[in-house]
Amino acid sequence: MRRLLLDAGPLIALFYAKDSDHQVCLSGFQQLIAEKVELIIPLPIVYEVNKWMLHNGGVPAARRAAMAMEQSLTFLYVDEALFDAVKVLQGSIPNWVGTLEDATVAVVALHHDCPVWTLNYRDLAAFQNLEFWNP
């Protein structure tokens, strides 16, 4: 089964209909579901999506999004070894200004050898070995 790692952007655009990327992301998720792609997401990205939805979509929308993610995505939990790998990766690029969430996406994608669907190429472009997916 093919896997795809999700960053926050496509999920936010899917759940927030006012987002300029909503239609593209809706089509992308429909394509992935039709192709039976396993959608994986690191837990920090779940939190990032939830916080964004809470602040911009309100409590009911944030709760619906959290429930939809729980029911349809494979969550990857951060253990001590993963967090150590994130710190090492982040420290290996001294001038990089990406977040721990961005570094987590990179580490997990590289470890699982799967492409990433993101809308944040600015920070993730620093990782030349990442493969990106677009609908």
Side-chain angles (χ1 to χ4, degrees):
M1 174 185 285
R2 206 175 86 194
R3 297 174 123 191
L4 178 69
L5 182 77
L6 297 173
D7 194 13
L11 286 161
I12 290 169
L14 174 69
F15 296 134
Y16 192 67
K18 295 177 187 176
D19 191 288
S20 62
D21 291 310
H22 176 73
Q23 284 300 92
V24 170
C25 291
L26 180 61
S27 294
F29 279 105
Q30 290 169 340
Q31 177 184 345
L32 294 166
I33 291 166
E35 294 176 7
K36 298 184 183 339
V37 174
E38 181 183 13
L39 303 174
I40 59 176
I41 185 169
L43 194 57
I45 304 306
V46 173
Y47 294 159
E48 184 178 359
V49 172
N50 181 261
K51 183 176 180 178
W52 193 98
M53 288 300 298
L54 185 61
H55 289 271
N56 295 282
V59 172
R63 289 184 180 162
R64 283 191 305 273
M67 185 177 291
M69 287 187 290
E70 181 181 15
Q71 292 173 347
S72 58
L73 306 177
T74 300
F75 287 10
L76 293 176
Y77 297 91
V78 177
D79 60 12
E80 188 175 351
L82 175 56
F83 188 64
D84 287 345
V86 166
K87 291 186 299 185
V88 167
L89 181 64
Q90 200 173 35
S92 71
I93 309 173
N95 295 325
W96 184 63
V97 295
T99 65
L100 285 172
E101 289 97 339
D102 296 328
T104 301
V105 166
V107 166
V108 170
L110 292 169
H111 177 75
H112 289 277
D113 193 27
C114 65
V116 175
W117 186 11
T118 187
L119 303 177
N120 176 11
Y121 296 99
R122 182 192 71 212
D123 293 328
L124 292 177
F127 306 102
Q128 297 176 352
N129 293 336
L130 283 182
E131 177 187 346
F132 295 103
W133 182 85
N134 289 296

